[in-house]
Amino acid sequence: MMVGVSEDQPPEEPTVAAALPEEHLPPKRLPIFLAVAVVLLGLDLLTKSIIVAQLTPGHPVRVIGDVVRLTLVRNAGAAFSMATGMTWLLTLIATSVVVGVIRIARRLRSVWWAVGLGMVLGGALGNLVDRFFRAPGPMLGHVVDFISVGWWPVFNVADSSVVCGAILLVALTVFGFEPDGTRTGRAVGEPKTGEESAA
């Protein structure tokens, strides 16, 4: 007689967060995420407004010799002025990024993940405002860039925020810190160090 083979798959291992009762989980970090995003968005909009009012294209202002300058540039493309003819597509991509980040952030329990995603959201929104509300028109607006450092392409506060936030998120992923406040490979109930508690 042949022994039947069950087609049932073994149950999936629960995640660390799923194995813990709600009262033992770190609090959700949505307020931190929103605060970081709002502060950086406000800083980006403020600096752009000042630069547009005070500078004329082609007339840079030296801050540190020829190394650091303020120069008004209107960028129709992505970072480093790439894809200048695809402004409408870049606007759609940025909008999708904003929606995705907000959906992820609702479940955040890690402080540093909240900071990193808040930086990405604040920067993405800063440049998205330019896309929608600056000339030549909605979804085709040119982003205001004004920080020139050495040979590096001209950028703005929003660009810096997105890049720094992305670097932070990559570092957290590499070192095993999860958005839910746990760390990859750590057993359930195992005490955390001070650094891990903050994450």
Side-chain angles (χ1 to χ4, degrees):
M1 184 176 69
M2 296 186 65
V3 178
V5 178
S6 173
E7 297 181 356
D8 293 337
Q9 298 294 324
E12 294 183 0
E13 291 292 329
T15 63
V16 175
L20 291 173
E22 181 72 22
E23 61 270 17
H24 292 163
L25 292 173
K28 291 187 177 180
R29 306 299 187 177
L30 187 59
I32 296 175
F33 162 77
L34 293 176
V36 172
V38 169
V39 168
L40 289 172
L41 173 60
L43 182 61
D44 181 65
L45 297 180
L46 176 62
T47 53
K48 287 175 179 175
S49 297
I50 294 173
I51 291 298
V52 169
Q54 299 295 326
L55 294 187
T56 301
H59 295 80
V61 174
R62 294 181 180 182
V63 178
I64 305 177
D66 288 329
V67 178
V68 180
R69 298 179 299 170
L70 299 179
T71 180
L72 176 57
V73 175
R74 297 183 184 272
N75 181 10
F80 315 135
S81 297
M82 295 186 295
T84 54
M86 306 283 288
T87 307
W88 63 272
L89 179 59
L90 297 172
T91 303
L92 292 177
I93 293 173
T95 302
S96 300
V97 169
V98 168
V99 173
V101 167
I102 291 175
R103 292 187 63 179
I104 294 172
R106 292 183 302 176
R107 302 187 299 273
L108 284 177
R109 294 182 184 275
S110 163
V111 172
W112 289 112
W113 270 89
V115 171
L117 284 176
M119 294 173 71
V120 172
L121 179 64
L125 285 174
N127 284 338
L128 200 55
V129 168
D130 285 3
R131 299 291 187 198
F132 276 107
F133 298 107
R134 293 193 185 276
M139 296 188 69
L140 299 174
H142 295 178
V143 172
V144 173
D145 291 331
F146 59 91
I147 305 172
S148 176
V149 180
W151 53 268
W152 198 259
V154 184
F155 59 97
N156 57 35
V157 173
D159 297 332
S160 301
S161 177
V162 170
V163 171
C164 292
I167 291 173
L168 175 57
L169 296 179
V170 169
L172 290 171
T173 302
V174 168
F175 288 103
F177 293 101
E178 301 291 338
D180 62 8
T182 61
R183 188 172 183 184
T184 302
R186 180 169 293 281
V188 176
E190 185 177 342
K192 298 180 180 180
T193 65
E195 292 83 0
E196 293 169 351
S197 298

